[in-house]
Amino acid sequence: MGRAVWFPTEGDIKQSRLGRLMAKVGTESADEFHKRSVQDAAWFWETVEKDLGFVWDRPYRQVLDTSKGIPWARWFVEGGFNVSVNALDRWVEKPSTRHRLALIWEGDNGEVQKWTYRELWTEVNRAARGLRKLGIGEGDRVAIYLPMVVENVVAMLAVARIGAIFTPCFSGYGAEAVATRLRDCEAKVLITADGFLRRGKTVNMKEEADKAAEQSPSVQHVVVVRRLGRQIPAFPRDVDWSNMLSADRTPLTAASTDADHPFMIIYTSGTTGRPKGTVHVHAGFPVKAAFDAGYGMDLDEGSVLFWMTDMGWMMGPWMVFGSLLTGTTMLLFEGTPDYPHPDRMWRLVEDHGVTHLGLSPTVVRALMKHGDEWVKGCHLESLRVFGSTGEPWNPEPWQWLFETVGQKRAPIWNYSGGTEISGGILATNLMKPIAPCSFSGPMPGMDADVVNEQGKSIRREVGELVVRQPWVGMTRGFWRDPDRYEQTYWERFPGVWVHGDWVEVDEDGFWYITGRSDDTLKIAGKRLGPAEMESTLVDHPAVLESATIGVPDADKGEAAVCFVILKAEADEREALRRELMAWVGERMGKALRPRAIHFVRELPKTRNGKILRRAIKAAYTGQDAGDLSSLENPDAIHAVRASHING
């Protein structure tokens, strides 16, 4: 499908964190290392945790226990591990690292704060004592409904420190979406803010939090961070964050939590039914995040990681634990990448020396349309690696990021997995050549494969992405719903995780995700990932962005319907619609010509830029879309529905 355009040097390979680990265990090639990592998963993850220098208050007796079956694998059995200690205390105890920068925060209005490891540790201890005074203990649930502020990180670590469990909620959620999560996990405390700034305007949060709390009988306290200092409604259950913080700044001994003690329930939306509460444990999600960030993205001492995300999405906690467990620095950003000017993203990189920048293809497309001059006016020499996740790439924005922004110097670390994975299944390997839009293949420790409908391995054709062996970070089921967990991932091929992505491996060994398997079209017997047709449309000079769904068709079984956002200079005329239909037919074959193309102003997306095709399909066909609480722009659904009604 593509030829490599970026190549690592011998020095890059030897100096990388992964290269150093490989040398330590006597492995010469990346392929050989991956093979060892899946042939002996226990050896691999024990090697990783020791190389990361984790602190255990009780040694583990066994690395991996699958006595209850692969879906319920346990790691580091009987080991004592608290993620708060490993994220903070072990750095604070050393004079050489306690004053290292842990966190940089920049607000929408340009305000900046910087926190060292010691300062962050002190604040976490104060918050942990405060939570205990509110009656929170081991196993209790605390929901965190905050914008991208420092208190978000402090709250996560404080909850983990005392052995409680936090549930991060997307800052853009309305009351009902928050209440659904509060009720499901029976949270005792809801931590929120009076509001935050977005594109220079105030976004109220406390009012939504109050509505959610009223619908959630388990909530005893609402803790309020005063981000803006605005007038807000007051209730007897309210506690001001600053009043909750203990005046006692002495260390609070962390709870002696087991390695498999839950520390986070993070919800992910399904195609049907209520959101799924994925359960993650102290020596699970954080260990996987630290490996992926440290060895996959090559995060090392002196690195500054900035991923454009929200704490309600997996990549938010991933950034927190990926940076703190590797002793590096994270950047939190409250605002949007093109406000007040289209160079805001690039100014963040320049001002804070960002070395590792994570952003979605959708964000790149949005910034690309503003033109090259906004990039060329910034100094981006600090950038070493781009990260990307959430959706498949189109060639044009990938090339623009690589060539115009990165000057063909910084590789794009393509990364795909999920909330239930704690990180990636597939990724670009920075020790190998990189082709546009591709993955090198499975990450170390991930025994991934591509299979047909019978579960047999295939190559050079589209198949289902599966994982054949357990890995550190796999969810410990869904919160109080083990049957749903087994049915979702393990029922189709017993003992094999079915992820829900369509993947193809080309003749050069590059892997490509063609879309979600529940998004996949089958037109006249040909299976087609929506990304393939979307890429074809985006190649047209008039098209900025597109989304494709499949609808029932009497002749072909299924037909494609496309939704297109045009570039500013293009006209929404019938002639252009016909031209685009012909464009697809000429490039993909007449049998794959769309049934219809609709022009829209926006596509339904999550806050991190992922297009919700299932929501588009449901709106267009008049079906139930399931949970839509993650939508950033619900009005886009109305436009899709109207396009069907109006033909």
Side-chain angles (χ1 to χ4, degrees):
M1 292 183 184
R3 295 179 178 271
V5 296
W6 180 86
F7 300 86
T9 66
E10 195 64 33
D12 291 335
I13 294 171
K14 288 183 178 179
Q15 293 168 19
S16 70
R17 198 163 189 160
L18 183 58
R20 300 198 307 267
L21 179 60
M22 286 168 49
K24 184 183 290 188
V25 298
T27 305
E28 293 186 359
S29 75
D31 290 340
E32 180 189 350
F33 186 69
H34 180 268
K35 187 176 180 180
R36 285 186 68 183
S37 76
V38 296
Q39 285 180 339
D40 191 346
W43 164 82
F44 171 71
W45 288 109
E46 183 172 31
T47 298
V48 168
E49 78 84 4
K50 290 188 181 305
D51 198 58
L52 285 166
F54 289 146
V55 174
W56 299 82
D57 60 48
R58 292 189 313 278
Y60 46 85
R61 174 181 57 80
Q62 182 181 356
V63 178
L64 172 61
D65 176 11
T66 57
S67 59
K68 293 184 179 180
I70 289 178
W72 302 103
R74 296 174 62 211
W75 292 89
F76 308 116
V77 180
E78 296 181 13
F81 185 99
N82 186 291
V83 69
S84 181
V85 171
N86 279 277
L88 296 174
D89 296 52
R90 66 189 177 111
W91 307 115
V92 173
E93 288 168 1
K94 299 176 184 177
S96 60
T97 54
R98 66 174 58 130
H99 299 299
R100 181 182 291 175
L101 198 59
L103 189 152
I104 305 166
W105 173 80
E106 182 166 319
D108 181 81
N109 59 355
E111 180 186 353
V112 174
Q113 296 178 13
K114 296 185 178 183
W115 295 67
T116 66
Y117 273 85
R118 193 181 191 285
E119 289 168 337
L120 187 60
W121 171 77
T122 299
E123 199 76 351
V124 166
N125 276 282
R126 295 178 67 200
R129 288 184 185 278
L131 287 168
R132 278 193 172 171
K133 286 184 178 179
L134 291 181
I136 300 302
E138 289 192 29
D140 289 335
R141 276 78 66 200
V142 175
I144 303 174
Y145 175 48
L146 285 171
M148 291 296 273
V149 290
V150 177
E151 289 85 354
N152 209 321
V153 177
V154 172
M156 291 162 63
L157 292 166
V159 170
R161 191 170 192 85
I162 61 177
I165 307 168
F166 70 86
T167 291
C169 299
F170 168 46
S171 61
Y173 277 152
E176 182 55 43
V178 177
T180 298
R181 288 151 177 79
L182 293 175
R183 291 193 299 267
D184 191 71
C185 73
E186 295 181 88
K188 284 188 175 181
V189 170
L190 171 61
I191 302 177
T192 191
D194 54 0
F196 61 98
L197 297 176
R198 184 168 174 80
R199 305 187 76 81
K201 297 180 180 178
T202 296
V203 179
N204 298 341
M205 288 193 83
K206 176 59 162 58
E207 291 81 352
E208 293 299 311
D210 287 336
K211 293 175 189 174
E214 288 165 9
Q215 300 174 48
S216 310
S218 62
V219 174
Q220 299 171 7
H221 302 286
V222 175
V223 178
V224 185
V225 174
R226 296 287 186 156
R227 162 69 183 104
L228 302 177
R230 55 179 285 268
Q231 285 289 113
I232 54 174
F235 294 90
R237 65 182 173 232
D238 291 352
V239 179
D240 194 280
W241 172 270
S242 60
N243 293 335
M244 185 197 75
L245 292 177
S246 172
D248 186 350
R249 295 172 180 267
T250 57
L252 174 68
T253 301
S256 182
T257 46
D258 290 336
D260 64 351
H261 182 84
F263 84 106
M264 175 175 70
I265 303 169
I266 183 167
Y267 286 84
T268 179
S269 298
T271 53
T272 59
R274 69 187 190 282
K276 305 181 293 261
T278 62
V279 179
H280 290 290
V281 300
H282 277 257
F285 183 107
V287 178
K288 171 67 170 162
F291 175 79
D292 288 10
Y295 301 88
M297 202 181 187
D298 200 31
L299 204 67
D300 210 345
E301 185 176 341
S303 297
V304 178
L305 172 63
F306 169 39
W307 207 289
M308 189 73 202
T309 186
D310 187 276
M311 288 300 170
W313 310 135
M314 183 210 79
M315 293 308 296
W318 183 96
M319 176 172 62
V320 171
F321 296 107
S323 63
L324 296 182
L325 290 177
T326 56
T328 55
T329 305
M330 80 182 87
L331 169 64
L332 297 187
F333 177 49
E334 178 187 42
T336 51
D338 60 353
Y339 178 85
H341 303 293
D343 63 350
R344 184 65 181 273
M345 174 76 76
W346 318 125
R347 291 295 174 193
L348 287 165
V349 172
E350 178 180 348
D351 292 347
H352 302 298
V354 173
T355 58
H356 294 68
L357 173 63
L359 66 180
S360 70
T362 292
V363 169
V364 175
R365 285 191 289 267
L367 295 175
M368 183 173 68
K369 71 181 181 182
H370 293 296
D372 298 354
E373 63 273 12
W374 293 101
V375 177
K376 292 177 179 177
C378 298
H379 298 287
L380 306 178
E381 295 83 0
S382 64
L383 271 176
R384 286 177 40 215
V385 180
F386 293 109
S388 167
T389 195
E391 58 179 315
W393 277 98
N394 305 116
E396 186 182 2
W398 193 99
Q399 293 283 5
W400 184 80
L401 182 66
F402 177 63
E403 295 176 3
T404 302
V405 183
Q407 296 294 298
K408 300 183 180 180
R409 176 183 54 83
I412 298 176
W413 185 63
N414 209 8
Y415 184 57
S416 183
T419 305
E420 306 90 327
I421 307 296
S422 300
I425 298 173
L426 304 179
T428 303
N429 191 315
L430 301 181
M431 300 178 68
K432 289 183 166 187
I434 299 173
C437 310
S438 72
F439 300 87
S440 304
M443 299 194 72
M446 303 302 296
D447 189 11
D449 196 5
V450 185
V451 302
N452 61 17
E453 293 175 356
Q454 290 73 45
K456 295 182 179 179
S457 299
I458 57 173
R459 290 294 184 271
R460 300 187 189 180
E461 59 179 293
V462 175
E464 189 90 50
L465 178 64
V466 301
V467 185
R468 296 191 178 277
Q469 292 189 66
W471 65 94
V472 162
M474 60 190 291
T475 180
R476 291 300 305 276
F478 298 152
W479 181 250
R480 294 177 175 170
D481 199 349
D483 291 342
R484 189 183 182 197
Y485 163 65
E486 291 186 352
Q487 291 164 6
T488 301
Y489 295 109
W490 303 97
E491 194 171 63
R492 188 170 172 192
F493 306 121
V496 176
W497 174 283
V498 179
H499 190 58
D501 278 343
W502 288 124
V503 174
E504 185 172 4
V505 184
D506 72 7
E507 62 275 7
D508 296 317
F510 292 113
W511 293 49
Y512 297 86
I513 291 178
T514 61
R516 294 290 296 171
S517 55
D518 52 10
D519 290 336
T520 303
L521 293 71
K522 196 167 187 178
I523 302 172
K526 178 176 174 56
R527 197 159 59 194
L528 178 75
E532 190 174 349
M533 189 169 289
E534 291 162 3
S535 292
T536 300
L537 282 164
V538 170
D539 284 342
H540 190 282
V543 176
L544 177 65
E545 197 169 4
S546 69
T548 297
I549 63 169
V551 299
D553 183 87
D555 296 325
K556 299 179 180 179
E558 197 168 31
V561 173
C562 305
F563 299 85
V564 167
I565 300 175
L566 297 176
K567 293 180 179 177
E569 63 273 16
D571 293 326
E572 292 186 10
R573 61 188 193 280
E574 186 59 33
L576 178 57
R577 195 190 313 271
R578 291 195 297 270
E579 181 182 330
L580 291 174
M581 300 270 277
W583 175 275
V584 174
E586 289 167 4
R587 284 155 181 78
M588 300 191 68
K590 289 183 179 179
L592 299 179
R593 196 170 184 265
R595 175 197 285 182
I597 292 179
H598 299 284
F599 298 136
V600 294
R601 300 297 183 192
E602 56 181 346
L603 296 168
K605 295 176 184 175
T606 63
R607 178 73 169 271
N608 60 346
K610 186 183 295 185
I611 297 170
L612 280 187
R613 294 183 187 85
R614 65 175 174 81
I616 297 174
K617 184 170 183 174
Y620 193 77
T621 58
Q623 298 172 344
D624 178 13
D627 178 42
L628 295 178
S629 57
S630 61
L631 268 184
E632 166 80 350
N633 52 345
D635 289 344
I637 289 291
H638 304 312
V640 170
R641 190 173 289 116
S643 68
H644 187 211
I645 294 170
N646 298 328

